Amino acid sequence: MDPDRIPAEFPAPSFRGAQERALADVRDAFAAGNDVVLVRAPTGSGKSLLARAVMGAAREVADAAPSEPTDAYYTTPQVSQLDDVAADDLLSDLKVIRGKSNYDCVLPGEHDTPVDRAPCVREQGFDCSIKHRCPYFSDRAIASSGRFAAMTLAYFMRTAGSETFRKRDVVVIDEAHGLAEWAEMYATIDLSPERVPVWDDVGVPDVERDAGADEDALDRTARFVESLRDVAKRAKDDLVGRPELSREEVARRDRLQELISELGWFLEDYRDLDSPTTWVVDQPDGEGSAIAIKPLDPARYLRHTVWDRGEKFALLSATILSKDAFCRGVGLDPANVALVDVEHTFPLSNRPLYDVTQGSMTYEHRDETVPKIARLIVRLMAEHPDQKGLIHAHSYDIAGRLVEKLGEFGVAARVRRHARSNRDAELEAWKASSDPEVFVSVKMEEALDLEGDLCRWQVVCKAPYRNTNDSRVARRLADGQWAWYHRTALRTVIQACGRVIRAPDDHGATYLADDSLLDLFDRAAADTPPWFRDQVDAMTTPDLPEFDPSAALAGLDADPSGPGRAGRRRSSGSASVGLSGEGDDRDGTSGGSGSASDTDGGETTRTRSEADAERREKHPLSDVWGDG
């Protein structure tokens, strides 16, 4: 790497905000001999452009000895972030490669077949006559031979040890704040009927209750894993020996191979007395039920899949809150790591925080607090009648309760929600809508760019603490790692606050509804970036309109309606149905897409999501579109 080239490699025609100063600091950090530079850059500061500038300093083939690595990788945990890179004209020299399942086979009769289920993986000895035209192998060849290859972190990790994607001079990891948690999740081994094709061929013990005096739950789990691996090997060998497989058999074979590899890696690490990894086991339902084997400290895993893949690393994020804690979590020596802070240049007045706390959202207080937050959302709808809003519900349970209450309050016509199965589709429909819809979301605090009128206000409904029922979280708290617990929650809040303010001339308000958020700011004060501390210190309590569903719907052609109903105004001019308040959830908005007819014979109303689904179902082309 030649650090002096970093500023000149910036791909945009001009710098914005603190970008020029940031690149000079990154250059100096690498020039000082650091192998890893953490770049803490606020949301909206153009991290992808900074990443490209760092990549441009990588050693080129013409200047390298045969044994020296060249070129650069760009990787990110977020699929949406990779999509943004692929669509950015300023980053056109980053060659994007995705997993096989994202590409369709181009052979005749196979155009609806993903490449990982194509004839080349179904039939032994299959020689594809048009492999050079295969979209996956074409993209892979371009990315592997190109100077800059871009991929998701999952694909990057899976290709560790690959001859195709060899070690490179520079690796840039964007949105790197969750690298340790991502590695833990990726290295977790889930043993369940859905994930183990030979589940019915093995007896699953109660690994905790059946552990004897001379062995603990982890020992018992290791013995079970050995027997499971043997069964999986025999099942895989049977499939491998067949001349031709169906798509389903290919999926079974591939999952068996993946399972065998996972189990083998766990056994190897479990038996290594010098391994830094601590394993914990969850099996809450006992004998015959699913087992999750989780690593607490995946440093060894990251060494092979990430740190051995490059010589110099730039890790970018708005929320690497503590350099030393981050380094401990990912297996880096802080002495070889520099931290570069990028100044936040967005005006403080454009990114206000508001204290609208309604009470505690811990589980024991949720029944009392959720209705108050729902009423607050109606008031915020009236405050922002013509602007889109985003509700960070934290969980599907909270989202369901909020949507149910908003239906009872008669404002469902302005509400959109998503399920696990249609998350991306509903998000895109909300972004595309020209109406001031309010989107009740779950786990959308990161990698969501809502610049301009895409969203002007948002509500954080709950302090996003990690689930203490997770054995990894419980183990850390038992070890006294409360600073980690608060730091991870603060990181998510800061990420959420950045969704609606994406440029210096952009503006968006964030409303905090959970009392625990204020407590979090106090407990995590030492890890709070100065620019976010400024936002917290400037926080005020706004003067909001009174609760009025009619005002909440003023930006739509809609009137408040009865429980679970929010119908369009009738063109006939008939009177609208009045607000009911606390009635039944008659249209099923708390959990599903079903609905009931109105008892007064009027229109049955829906959330935006349900109305869209009904229109698709009744459309003449619904048999072509499917269920959307």
Side-chain angles (χ1 to χ4, degrees), residues 95-119:
K95 306 307 179 185
V96 174
I97 176 65
R98 307 175 192 272
K100 285 184 178 181
S101 62
N102 295 280
Y103 299 86
D104 289 334
C105 180
V106 293
L107 285 168
E110 300 284 352
H111 288 208
D112 63 342
T113 305
V115 171
D116 62 343
R117 300 291 179 263

Side-chain angles (χ1 to χ4, degrees), residues 107-167:
L107 285 168
E110 300 284 352
H111 288 208
D112 63 342
T113 305
V115 171
D116 62 343
R117 300 291 179 263
C120 59
V121 295
R122 299 201 310 259
E123 301 175 25
Q124 282 193 16
F126 183 85
D127 184 15
C128 182
S129 60
I130 56 173
K131 185 176 180 178
H132 61 287
R133 289 171 44 202
C134 174
Y136 170 73
F137 286 103
S138 175
D139 275 6
R140 191 182 74 163
I142 293 170
S144 63
S145 61
R147 181 151 163 71
F148 307 129
M151 60 195 70
T152 63
L153 188 60
Y155 188 92
F156 183 70
M157 289 178 165
R158 282 200 303 269
T159 56
S162 163
E163 287 297 322
T164 304
F165 291 105
R166 53 179 171 71
K167 181 177 182 178

Side-chain angles (χ1 to χ4, degrees), residues 191 195-197 228 232 255-264:
L191 304 179
R195 299 286 295 159
V196 178
L228 175 59
R255 176 56 195 142
L256 284 167
Q257 182 56 57
E258 184 181 55
L259 176 65
I260 293 165
S261 177
E262 291 173 350
L263 299 178

Side-chain angles (χ1 to χ4, degrees), residues 451-465:
E451 186 172 359
D453 291 336
L454 283 176
C455 188
R456 290 298 185 189
W457 60 280
Q458 60 181 346
V459 182
V460 180
C461 293
K462 185 182 183 304
Y465 284 111

Side-chain angles (χ1 to χ4, degrees), residues 398-427:
I398 295 172
R401 296 190 195 198
L402 287 174
V403 170
E404 179 180 355
K405 281 296 176 186
L406 293 171
E408 291 174 4
F409 295 154
V411 297
R414 196 177 164 186
V415 175
R416 183 176 292 275
R417 66 172 302 183
H418 68 86
R420 290 180 177 87
S421 59
N422 65 356
R423 174 187 178 91
D424 292 342
E426 290 294 341
L427 173 62

